């Protein structure tokens, strides 16, 4: 389980970025909001989308091909 944060200010493209706590690109503590502990970046993204529009995952720390261990089977 990782701890995720959302940037408080949009980047140059107008997007808010989700980072895990260990990311080298994470904004300083005054420029980010805590999202909580999640298994994957996609789970953190779902939470972030309830708070802001225009949210993306950090390409450095969240797009490493992680897959949730919980699936939605229909």
């Amino acid at each position: 389980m990782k701890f995720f944060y959302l940037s408080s200010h949009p980047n140059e493209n107008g997007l808010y970025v989700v980072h895990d706590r260990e990311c080298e690109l994470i904004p300083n503590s005054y420029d980010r909001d805590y999202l909580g502990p999640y298994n994957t970046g996609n789970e953190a993204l779902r939470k972030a989308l309830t708070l802001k529009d225009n949210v993306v995952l950090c390409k450095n720390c969240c797009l490493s091909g992680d897959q949730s261990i919980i699936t939605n089977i229909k």
Side-chain angles (χ1 to χ4, degrees):
M1 190 159 296
K2 294 183 177 182
F3 298 94
F4 289 90
Y5 293 82
L6 180 63
S7 58
S8 300
H9 307 287
N11 64 15
E12 61 277 354
N13 297 321
L15 302 171
Y16 295 92
V17 183
V18 174
H19 297 273
D20 79 36
R21 177 172 60 185
E22 305 300 321
C23 183
E24 60 190 38
L25 302 176
I26 193 169
N28 70 50
S29 59
Y30 296 109
D31 295 325
R32 66 184 186 217
D33 299 310
Y34 181 65
L35 291 173
Y38 296 96
N39 290 314
T40 68
N42 287 330
E43 290 176 7
L45 178 64
R46 256 183 275 147
K47 170 63 178 178
L49 286 169
T50 67
L51 304 172
K52 296 183 188 275
D53 294 327
N54 301 325
V55 176
V56 295
L57 293 172
C58 173
K59 292 179 183 177
N60 183 62
C61 65
C62 294
L63 294 180
S64 61
D66 57 355
Q67 297 294 321
S68 176
I69 59 172
I70 300 173
T71 59
N72 186 7
I73 300 173
K74 293 184 180 184

